[in-house]
Amino acid sequence: MTATDDPHKLALPADLATKQQLARDWFEHLRDEICALFEQLEDEAPPALYPGAPGRFERTLWRRGDGLADAGGGVASLMRGRFFEKVGVHVSTVFGTFPPEFARQIEGAEVDPHFWASGISLIAHLRNPRCPAAHMNTRMIATTRSWFGGGGDLNPTLAIDRHKDAADARRFHADFRACCDRHDPEYYPRFRDWADSYFFLPHRNEPRGVGGIFFDRFRDKSWEQDFAFVQDVGKSFASSYGAILRGRMNEPWTEEERAGQLFWRGRYVEFNLLYDRGTTFGLKTGGNVNAILSSMPPVATW
Amino acid sequence: MTATDDPHKLALPADLATKQQLARDWFEHLRDEICALFEQLEDEAPPALYPGAPGRFERTLWRRGDGLADAGGGVASLMRGRFFEKVGVHVSTVFGTFPPEFARQIEGAEVDPHFWASGISLIAHLRNPRCPAAHMNTRMIATTRSWFGGGGDLNPTLAIDRHKDAADARRFHADFRACCDRHDPEYYPRFRDWADSYFFLPHRNEPRGVGGIFFDRFRDKSWEQDFAFVQDVGKSFASSYGAILRGRMNEPWTEEERAGQLFWRGRYVEFNLLYDRGTTFGLKTGGNVNAILSSMPPVATW
C-alpha cells in the first residue's frame, strides 16, 4: 500500500518541531555541499574553453510576507560563472496559511490552512551545450499531515543526448536506481515512471529531458527512514551530476550545438511557466519571485 | 449598461453564418494589409543599421484536430527579418466542442459546448531596442451567444520609454482614443483601464508595457456597429504602430540597450505563459502550438 492509498499514513509524526529542524538543517547542509562542489568544477574547467575568472555563488536572503509577522524566508544562492552559465541552489523555510482556493488542493489543508514547508531547489544551466542541464529538489511539507517530496531530472540540451540510452542518461538513472534500491526496491520503477509523466510537455507532446525520479506526498515507512531516503536522493544527485559534468567539461562545442542548446532552453522555459509545481507553489504562497524564477535559463531562443 | 451586465445582449445575431464569413474575411484582409505594411518597413529600414536582405513573411497552413473531421485551422504568417527580428501575424477560424471543464468557463458554452471562433493575432519583436514591441488581436466568438474581443498594447523595451508620458505611448494612446471615440466616447476609458489591469504581471507587480486597449465579451450596439468598431481597432493599430516604427527605425542603439531589451523580453515570456488568455485558449482548444507560441521572442535573457 502506498502513502497516497492510505491517508492515515500522512498524519503528523511525533515531535514535529524537532523533525522540522532536522529537515531544514539537512537542506541547508546539502546546499553548502553542492555549492562547494560546483565552485570546485568552476575552478577545474579548462580556461581555453571557458575564459574568465571562475564564478562564485552569491547569496541573497529574502523574507516572506509584509514584515508585520514572521512568515519565514530563504536564501537564494546564484552563480553566473564561466562553466556554470547560470545555476541556482536555493533553500527556503516558509510557514503561514494558504489562500482558501489553494488550501483546498493541498492534502491536509482542507480543514486547516496552516502550513510549513522547507526545501532545497536546484537548477543548473551550463555554458557548454554538451553538458546537460539538471534540476533537483527535495522538501518536507506539514499541514495537518506531513510528507516529503522531491526528485531530480537530467536535461541534455542536444537531441543526440536526449534519449534514455545515451551515456549520461544511463549513468544518471543507474545512480538513482542504486539510491532508491538502498531504501526500497519498489521506489525506483515507481518514481522513474512518475518523473516520465511529470517532466513532459503535453502541448509539444515531448519529454522535457531524459527523466530521473519524482515523488510527492511521500510518507512510506517511519519518518526517520523516509528522511534517510530524501537525504540519499540529494547526495546521489550531487555525486551523479558532478561526475557527468566532469566527464564532459573538456569537450569543445560548435556554434550549431550552442544554437540547439538555446532552442531547447525555450522548451525548458515553457515547462517551468506552464507546468512546474514548484513555480506555482512559490508564486501562490508569496515566495520570492527572483528566487523562484531564477530557474529561468540565462538566454533562450524561440 | 454594459454587455457583461446584460447576458441577453450576448444572444446570437440574425444570419449568423453570413456574419461569421464577413468577420473571417475581414481578419484575413487585415492580415494581408499588415503584412504588406511590415514588408514595406523591412525594405525601408537603413542597411547601415540592419544588414542583410529584407525579410518576407512565410505562410504555414495548419489544420486543427486529427484529420477525421473538419475542425477548422489557420494560417501562420511569420517573418524573421532584418528590422523585424521576429513577427507573427496569424489568422485562424476554428470550431468544434470545448472540453467540459473549459466549457464551464465560457459564456454561453455551459449549456452547449459547441463553439466557433475566428480572429487575427499579431506580435512583433523588433531588432532595434528603441523600437517598441507590440501586440494586437481581434476576434469573433460564437457559442450559444456571440461577441467580439480584442485589443492592442505597446511594449517599449527600454525603461526610459516604458511610461505613459513617453512620446510613443502618448501617440499610441491618442490613436486608440480617436478610434474608440468614433464609436462611443465611453469605450476608450473603459478599454484602456481594462488593458492596464490585464497587461500586468502580478508576480512582479509590474505592468507589461504602456498599455493600450483591451475588451472582451463585447456586444454593445448592433452587430454591424460592433463589427465596425472591431475593424477600426485593427486599422488604427496598424496605422499607429507603423508610424511609431517609422519614427524610430533610424535611431542607432547601444549594446546596453540591446541587453535591456533582451531582459525585458524575459518578462514578456513570463506574461505570455503565465497569464495570456489567447495562449490558454489556443492550447486548450487544440490550436496550432507553433502558431500560438510563435509569440515568443526570438531571444530572451534572465
Side-chain angles (χ1 to χ4, degrees):
Chain A
M1 181 173 276
T2 64
T4 47
D5 293 333
D6 178 4
H8 298 291
K9 297 197 78 174
L10 291 168
L12 291 175
D15 201 5
L16 179 65
T18 303
K19 287 170 171 118
Q20 288 173 328
Q21 190 61 49
L22 282 170
R24 176 187 182 150
D25 289 347
W26 162 254
F27 296 132
E28 292 175 2
H29 170 74
L30 179 62
R31 182 265 323 269
D32 293 341
E33 294 281 312
I34 290 176
C35 287
L37 168 66
F38 286 180
E39 290 189 351
Q40 196 181 332
L41 293 171
E42 272 289 298
D43 291 339
E44 288 174 21
L49 286 177
Y50 311 95
R56 285 296 175 261
F57 277 97
E58 290 189 13
R59 291 192 176 183
T60 308
L61 274 66
W62 57 271
R63 304 301 305 167
R64 187 174 156 267
D66 55 9
L68 293 176
D70 185 11
V75 180
S77 299
L78 191 72
M79 176 165 72
R80 292 180 186 264
R82 55 185 193 137
F83 177 57
F84 286 95
E85 191 173 348
K86 185 178 177 187
V87 55
V89 188
H90 306 318
V91 291
S92 68
T93 302
V94 297
F95 42 91
T97 52
F98 286 127
E101 49 149 348
F102 197 54
R104 278 192 287 277
Q105 305 169 31
I106 304 280
E107 196 106 41
E110 317 90 342
V111 285
D112 175 349
H114 285 86
F115 74 96
W116 175 96
S118 183
I120 181 172
S121 168
L122 174 159
I123 294 198
H125 296 284
L126 283 293
R127 201 170 294 279
N128 186 340
R130 288 164 171 251
C131 290
H135 150 262
M136 184 275 291
N137 98 78
T138 50
R139 57 193 175 272
M140 175 179 164
I141 295 181
T143 58
T144 59
R145 298 172 191 164
S146 104
W147 64 92
F148 292 99
D153 73 316
L154 192 73
N155 295 247
T157 70
L158 301 183
I160 194 175
D161 295 321
R162 216 160 47 241
H163 57 92
K164 293 209 174 187
D165 289 331
D168 292 343
R170 289 165 66 100
R171 164 155 206 165
F172 192 72
H173 275 277
D175 290 339
F176 263 148
R177 178 193 288 274
C179 164
C180 289
D181 287 354
R182 284 192 286 274
H183 302 269
D184 191 319
E186 289 187 3
Y187 287 174
Y188 174 72
R190 200 168 121 216
F191 299 157
R192 175 203 57 203
D193 290 353
W194 203 341
D196 285 341
S197 59
Y198 179 72
F199 298 114
F200 189 82
L201 286 72
H203 67 291
R204 298 277 187 190
N205 196 29
E206 285 174 13
R208 164 166 118 165
V210 296
I213 59 170
F214 183 91
F215 55 99
D216 202 357
R217 300 185 301 284
F218 174 72
R219 184 169 172 179
D220 196 51
K221 308 187 199 295
S222 71
W223 186 88
E224 287 74 12
Q225 285 170 296
D226 292 345
F227 181 47
F229 170 65
V230 166
Q231 290 179 297
D232 206 358
V233 166
K235 283 184 286 191
S236 298
F237 169 84
S239 147
S240 184
Y241 187 48
I244 288 168
L245 292 180
R246 257 199 193 100
R248 305 206 60 164
M249 64 158 54
N250 292 296
E251 296 180 20
W253 64 91
T254 67
E255 282 298 307
E256 193 184 349
E257 288 169 340
R258 174 71 178 172
Q261 178 193 42
L262 300 189
F263 186 80
W264 173 82
R265 284 182 181 169
R267 299 287 201 267
Y268 193 85
V269 168
E270 291 175 17
F271 180 87
N272 266 30
L273 296 179
L274 290 172
Y275 307 114
D276 187 73
R277 289 187 201 178
T279 303
T280 308
F281 183 91
L283 295 177
K284 294 211 176 176
T285 55
N288 182 271
V289 172
N290 286 320
I292 295 163
L293 293 180
S294 75
S295 62
M296 292 292 125
V299 194
T301 60
W302 279 270
Chain B
M1 179 174 278
T2 64
T4 48
D5 295 332
D6 178 5
H8 297 292
K9 297 196 78 169
L10 291 166
L12 290 175
D15 201 5
L16 179 65
T18 303
K19 290 173 170 113
Q20 289 172 327
Q21 189 62 48
L22 283 169
R24 176 187 183 149
D25 288 347
W26 162 253
F27 297 132
E28 292 174 1
H29 170 74
L30 179 62
R31 182 266 323 270
D32 292 342
E33 294 282 312
I34 290 176
C35 287
L37 168 66
F38 286 179
E39 290 188 351
Q40 197 182 330
L41 293 171
E42 271 290 297
D43 291 339
E44 288 174 21
L49 287 177
Y50 311 95
R56 285 295 177 260
F57 277 96
E58 291 189 12
R59 293 192 175 182
T60 308
L61 275 66
W62 57 271
R63 304 300 304 168
R64 186 174 157 268
D66 55 7
L68 292 175
D70 186 10
V75 180
S77 298
L78 190 72
M79 175 164 71
R80 292 180 187 264
R82 53 186 196 138
F83 177 58
F84 287 95
E85 191 174 348
K86 185 178 178 186
V87 55
V89 188
H90 306 316
V91 291
S92 68
T93 301
V94 298
F95 42 91
T97 53
F98 285 127
E101 51 149 347
F102 197 55
R104 277 191 288 276
Q105 304 168 33
I106 304 280
E107 197 105 41
E110 317 90 342
V111 285
D112 176 348
H114 284 86
F115 74 97
W116 175 97
S118 183
I120 179 172
S121 168
L122 174 158
I123 294 198
H125 296 284
L126 283 293
R127 200 170 295 278
N128 186 341
R130 288 164 170 253
C131 291
H135 151 261
M136 184 275 290
N137 98 78
T138 49
R139 57 193 175 273
M140 174 180 166
I141 295 182
T143 58
T144 59
R145 301 172 189 162
S146 104
W147 64 91
F148 293 99
D153 73 317
L154 193 72
N155 296 247
T157 72
L158 301 182
I160 195 174
D161 295 322
R162 215 157 51 241
H163 57 92
K164 293 208 173 184
D165 289 331
D168 292 343
R170 289 164 67 99
R171 168 161 204 161
F172 192 71
H173 275 278
D175 290 338
F176 263 149
R177 179 193 288 274
C179 163
C180 289
D181 287 354
R182 283 191 286 274
H183 302 269
D184 191 319
E186 289 187 4
Y187 287 173
Y188 174 73
R190 199 168 123 218
F191 299 158
R192 174 202 58 202
D193 291 352
W194 202 342
D196 285 341
S197 60
Y198 179 72
F199 297 114
F200 189 82
L201 287 69
H203 67 290
R204 299 276 188 192
N205 196 30
E206 284 173 13
R208 165 165 118 166
V210 297
I213 59 170
F214 184 90
F215 55 99
D216 203 357
R217 300 185 301 283
F218 175 73
R219 184 168 172 178
D220 195 53
K221 309 186 197 295
S222 72
W223 186 89
E224 287 73 13
Q225 285 170 294
D226 292 344
F227 181 47
F229 169 66
V230 166
Q231 289 178 297
D232 205 357
V233 166
K235 282 184 287 191
S236 298
F237 169 85
S239 147
S240 184
Y241 187 49
I244 288 169
L245 292 180
R246 256 198 194 103
R248 305 206 60 164
M249 64 160 51
N250 292 297
E251 297 180 21
W253 63 92
T254 67
E255 283 297 307
E256 194 184 348
E257 288 170 339
R258 174 70 178 172
Q261 178 192 43
L262 300 190
F263 186 81
W264 172 83
R265 284 181 182 169
R267 299 288 200 266
Y268 193 85
V269 168
E270 292 176 17
F271 180 87
N272 266 30
L273 296 179
L274 289 172
Y275 307 114
D276 188 73
R277 289 188 201 177
T279 302
T280 308
F281 183 91
L283 294 178
K284 292 210 179 179
T285 55
N288 182 273
V289 172
N290 286 321
I292 295 164
L293 293 180
S294 76
S295 61
M296 293 292 124
V299 194
T301 61
W302 280 269

